[in-house]
Amino acid sequence: MNERTITVPTDEDMRALGERIAHAVQGGDVLLLSGPLGAGKTTFAQGFGRGLGIGEPIVSPTFTIARELDGRFSDGSPAHLVHVDAYRLGGNAYAPGQDAIGRLLDELESLGLDEELEDPGENTVVLMEWGEQMIAALAPERLEIHIDRSRDAAGATDPKVVPGGADTELTSDGARTVTLVPVGDRWKRFDPQTDLR
């Protein structure tokens, strides 16, 4: 596995990382974005859209669940981006004996997104936020992008406050740590050192 961790100092650097990864994708790819609220997932997605030459604004699809946008891959061929936000999926209306993943898969199926994830078209790229619970079942080949944001170290000099512990506050400013985890044969060839120029 070619896992790589990158420090991303600013929002514009996060967009630039998204843009560089967009230049490395091809039709059929699935990418998973994960991280806490405010970590920079939508900022990454904006850069990713920019890298695909998408002219429309990239916003979080939280209330629409999925947005479909058209652009171009780096070789000039048409690209179709399906940007999914699974944050609101999963509810608590389970069928008897159904588990959380089964419920999520049923919701994706009712939205017509299950097939997009299982077998994206030759020009389609799926970028999913908050899909950790279901992505492994649907996309055995994927690039996982984990984004962690810093915690405010205010009070960290107080011996009773543990830096990064529950007493520190998540901030919207500061560097992010991005870990790229390639999963599956397609991504075994992906080398973040050389593919992200």
Side-chain angles (χ1 to χ4, degrees), residues 55-196:
E56 296 176 60
I58 303 283
V59 295
S60 177
T62 300
F63 294 104
T64 57
I65 309 298
R67 293 188 68 218
E68 298 191 36
L69 305 157
D70 292 315
R72 299 219 166 262
F73 290 111
S74 58
D75 67 1
S77 63
H80 182 72
L81 173 64
V82 179
H83 183 199
V84 181
D85 187 327
Y87 184 71
R88 296 196 183 280
L89 294 179
N92 56 8
Y94 296 94
Q98 187 178 38
D99 63 5
I101 293 174
R103 172 71 178 140
L104 291 166
L105 294 175
D106 283 352
E107 286 190 47
L108 284 175
E109 183 177 3
S110 71
L111 295 167
L113 295 172
D114 59 326
E115 290 178 17
E116 292 277 14
L117 287 168
E118 288 178 311
D119 188 19
E122 66 181 47
N123 293 327
T124 300
V125 174
V126 177
L127 181 64
M128 177 178 265
E129 299 182 33
W130 298 101
E132 301 90 340
Q133 298 173 353
M134 69 192 87
I135 199 91
L138 291 175
E141 307 253 344
R142 63 193 179 274
L143 178 63
E144 296 180 1
I145 303 160
H146 305 283
I147 305 172
D148 289 311
R149 60 184 177 175
S150 62
R151 291 185 175 263
D152 184 356
T157 56
D158 182 336
K160 295 177 189 157
V161 178
V162 178
D167 293 337
T168 58
E169 184 177 318
L170 287 171
T171 67
S172 61
D173 299 322
R176 268 64 167 175
T177 302
V178 178
T179 304
L180 304 173
V181 182
V183 177
D185 289 338
R186 151 60 178 126
W187 292 102
K188 283 182 183 175
R189 298 184 305 274
F190 177 73
D191 182 358
Q193 298 282 51
T194 58
D195 291 341
L196 297 181

